[in-house]
Amino acid sequence: MSLPKDPAENLAALIRCPSVTPAEGGALTALEAMLAPLGFAVERPVFSENGTPDIENLYARLSGNGPHLMFAGHTDVVPVGDETAWSQAPFSAAVHDGEMYGRGAVDMKGGIACFVAALARHIESRGKPKGSVSLLITGDEEGPAINGTVKLLDWAVGRGEAWDAAIVGEPTNPDLLGDMIKIGRRGSISGLVTVHGRQGHVAYPHLADNPVRGLMTLLDALMSPAFDDGTENFQPSNLEITSIDVGNAATNVIAAKATAAFNIRFNDTWTAETIQAEVHNRLDIASGRRKYRKGRKEPVEFEVTWRDRPSHVFLTRDDKLIETLSASVKAVTGRQPALSTSGGTSDARFIKDYCPVVEFGLVGKTMHMVDERVALDDLEMLTNIYTRFIEDWFEQG
Ligand SMILES: [Zn+2]
């Protein structure tokens, strides 16, 4: 059997599977076909939950004597958007001017294609790694992420799996391959603040209580002062107001209620719990302020509700993992990668509860866009980085 040593060939096979979340689209079958000749035991658990589509996932393990490395990622992709706007069909894997086009090319079928090619090259030239390698691949990263990585980790642990380190193959480089390794992520939490006033006529505001004034008072307090100035490894925490809703179409009416939605990306100064407490504290103090509510005796009447589950902030400290990967990137690209915690959340936030995790993949510039594409040279370089990492990481035992 021929081994899947060519990342471009691997990627083309994956792109041709239209695996828009929640569809498997043949992508896991294509991946399984690559892993089987490498000696992996492949399983494809399906997870369900009321109100969400069933999702198929993949866990593959190549067992050996020594440490256990996990590679994690997803084969699902975001929708193509306006298909006519693509210069190449989004599931064709067409190559034009040295670049392969297709939804998922960089986010993140490309990362998977390169890791598989790296393993194939390692196995062909040096035999099996001195330890175990697992691929933990979900079909539910771009969707609600309910039947994906969280359940897959839980399922694997239930079968006795344990890992020493993990790499997530998401596209981490802003411009050039080798720019950036992600060694942690900020936390994220979303909330709603609702102010209850008293409806009335705009010409008689003293008889009403305009909730917009109350809401402005509260939002002022959320936006300043800054939560912190940033830390050694993290940007400053930031709150963004994402929506303000009063739903009042009349020009002569003071509404009874006003609501604002906000999201906070927070650094390691905070936990989800302490940042929530800070928000409540700021609102409690601000509710008595008179800046926009001259003459009001009663404080702003408000409530806060927190949405979804928070994402917790984390920072990976594992010298072997981080330094081996940095050195591999430097050796192949000539660039010293920045160790960053910037950007949005990823499935690494779940993996960090089981083993140290870092993220390194392709250049993310075109992810989720029309004409998502990857340079064939980048595929080759990322494969070389992963190959070198696998060699050096297992060599250290
Ligand atoms: Zn992704």
Side-chain angles (χ1 to χ4, degrees):
M1 251 189 292
S2 74
L3 299 183
K5 288 179 297 184
D6 180 357
E9 224 172 83
N10 296 350
L11 178 55
L14 293 172
I15 286 177
R16 288 183 189 125
C17 304
S19 51
V20 177
T21 328
E24 185 269 331
L28 295 179
T29 300
L31 179 57
E32 181 170 1
M34 294 171 209
L35 294 172
L38 296 176
F40 276 84
V42 181
E43 302 200 61
R44 290 167 60 176
V46 175
F47 300 126
S48 314
E49 188 150 320
N50 276 343
T52 62
D54 288 2
I55 300 279
E56 189 168 4
N57 301 272
L58 180 146
Y59 186 75
R61 177 169 177 157
L62 181 65
S63 295
N65 253 333
H68 190 173
L69 176 69
M70 177 208 297
F71 177 85
H74 61 92
T75 49
D76 61 322
V77 296
V78 296
V80 299
D82 179 5
E83 190 159 351
T84 61
W86 286 68
S87 65
Q88 313 288 331
F91 298 112
S92 67
V95 173
H96 183 74
D97 259 353
E99 293 181 304
M100 184 177 289
Y101 285 67
R103 178 55 82 224
V106 296
D107 184 12
M108 57 156 280
K109 289 175 172 176
I112 296 173
C114 292
F115 190 80
V116 171
L119 276 171
R121 290 177 188 187
H122 187 284
I123 288 169
E124 189 181 66
S125 64
R126 302 170 155 239
K128 288 210 289 188
K130 295 174 188 162
S132 297
V133 180
S134 295
L135 275 81
L136 188 133
I137 307 293
T138 174
D140 189 22
E141 199 273 342
E142 304 285 13
I146 288 169
N147 293 314
T149 297
V150 174
K151 289 188 179 175
L152 193 51
L153 285 161
D154 198 51
W155 172 91
V157 167
R159 300 161 63 98
E161 293 293 282
W163 308 272
D164 296 292
I167 295 184
V168 177
E170 292 280 5
T172 50
N173 300 284
D175 287 307
L176 294 169
L177 197 72
D179 280 344
M180 188 177 285
I181 294 173
K182 298 225 168 150
I183 57 164
R185 294 279 185 152
R186 289 177 296 175
S188 172
I189 190 162
S190 298
L192 278 178
V193 52
T194 301
V195 170
H196 300 283
R198 192 164 62 248
Q199 187 173 330
H201 195 300
V202 290
Y204 303 92
H206 55 289
L207 299 178
D209 180 6
N210 191 342
V212 176
R213 289 176 178 271
L215 188 60
M216 286 170 67
T217 303
L218 299 187
L219 296 183
D220 225 9
L222 290 186
M223 286 190 289
S224 97
F227 285 95
D228 56 66
D229 301 325
T231 64
E232 188 191 348
N233 293 291
F234 286 88
Q235 298 165 267
S237 301
N238 182 59
L239 178 142
E240 283 300 315
I241 292 160
T242 50
S243 189
I244 295 181
D245 301 285
V246 182
N248 177 21
T251 56
N252 58 353
V253 172
I254 290 168
K257 197 172 88 167
T259 298
F262 61 89
N263 174 270
I264 307 174
R265 297 297 162 116
F266 57 94
N267 63 34
D268 56 354
T269 307
W270 309 90
T271 64
E273 292 72 30
T274 61
I275 199 105
Q276 283 178 329
E278 171 70 11
V279 164
H280 284 286
N281 187 42
R282 285 183 180 213
L283 296 179
D284 285 340
I285 293 170
S287 67
R289 290 193 183 133
R290 304 281 173 262
K291 184 175 173 191
Y292 303 118
R293 305 176 73 243
K294 296 250 173 349
R296 294 280 165 195
K297 288 198 186 64
E298 72 286 9
V300 178
E301 192 193 329
F302 71 95
E303 68 205 4
V304 179
T305 49
W306 297 99
R307 299 170 129 183
D308 313 324
R309 40 188 179 177
S311 297
H312 297 284
V313 56
F314 75 94
L315 179 67
T316 297
R317 299 184 189 274
D318 179 318
D319 291 345
K320 177 186 167 190
L321 175 61
I322 294 170
E323 282 166 20
T324 306
L325 184 56
S326 293
S328 304
V329 171
K330 178 86 196 280
V332 173
T333 67
R335 280 179 209 101
Q336 184 67 49
L339 305 178
S340 171
T341 57
S342 61
T345 60
S346 82
D347 277 358
R349 72 188 192 271
F350 306 125
I351 297 167
K352 68 108 169 46
D353 293 336
Y354 299 90
C355 66
V357 56
V358 295
E359 300 170 70
F360 185 75
L362 289 161
V363 176
K365 259 191 268 188
T366 60
M367 60 183 169
H368 295 207
M369 294 171 80
V370 160
D371 278 346
E372 181 174 349
R373 61 196 183 275
V374 60
L376 298 182
D377 286 348
D378 280 4
L379 290 177
E380 189 57 32
M381 271 201 288
L382 181 58
T383 302
N384 289 334
I385 291 167
Y386 285 155
T387 305
R388 193 170 178 121
F389 173 81
I390 293 166
E391 280 173 22
D392 292 352
W393 190 81
F394 281 105
E395 206 55 55
Q396 294 168 61

